[in-house]
Amino acid sequence: MDSRLLEAARRAMAHAHAPYSSYHVGAAILADDNAVYAGCNVENAAFPEGWCAETSAIGAMVTAGGKKIREIAVMGDGEDLTTPCGGCRQRIAEFAAPDTPIHICGPDGLRHTFKLAELLPASFGKDHLS
Ligand code: THU
């Protein structure tokens, strides 16, 4: 894992807006431009309007001109593995390859690395539309 990702995810997690779940998440992407883009979860009193840390990080990457996810780290503050939700797996897939590493971290550090294809097998993508 790129050494910058852990600290970027940790810093983003510290800014999570999670007053309803108290589940704080940070995500950090190493993009094709060699820059790191981070984001946190942003909850809302109208619950379905909140979004995940991975979504925030993807938005930051795309806004700055990044095109591909080389690696992504996701950090939650719980005991378990904070694996991306289904919607975020699909959003990651838009900018990643089947073998793109997804690093699941906690405040203690790296806990497990998956490849995208393990988390989103037989996925729907742009090839279906060409
Ligand atoms: N959450 C994320 O930000 N990323 C994940 O990978 C899993 C869940 C957020 C969404 C919500 O704000 C809170 O965690 C509890 O579901």
Side-chain angles (χ1 to χ4, degrees):
M1 173 169 62
D2 186 277
S3 60
R4 294 171 287 173
L5 290 182
L6 199 61
E7 209 36 52
R10 193 190 306 280
R11 277 199 305 274
M13 185 174 75
H15 295 295
H17 177 71
Y20 307 106
S21 73
S22 295
Y23 197 88
H24 303 92
V25 186
I29 292 168
L30 175 66
D32 55 326
D33 57 3
N34 203 36
V36 171
Y37 299 102
C40 61
N41 52 332
V42 183
E43 296 183 351
N44 191 282
F47 292 173
E49 301 305 328
W51 65 85
C52 291
E54 297 90 325
T55 298
S56 293
I58 290 168
M61 180 190 82
V62 173
T63 301
K67 304 284 186 227
K68 292 293 284 181
I69 297 172
R70 277 196 208 147
E71 296 180 60
I72 178 168
V74 182
M75 185 184 293
D77 63 356
E79 300 280 293
D80 48 1
L81 292 182
T82 303
T83 43
C85 76
C88 285
R89 294 177 195 204
Q90 183 70 29
R91 290 188 196 98
I92 291 166
E94 182 71 17
F95 301 101
D99 63 348
T100 299
I102 300 178
H103 306 291
I104 309 302
C105 308
D108 47 317
L110 177 63
R111 292 179 178 173
H112 194 87
T113 298
F114 294 95
K115 290 183 189 315
L116 173 61
E118 293 180 87
L119 297 183
L120 194 68
S123 63
F124 185 88
K126 61 178 182 307
D127 292 346
H128 289 85
L129 303 175
S130 59

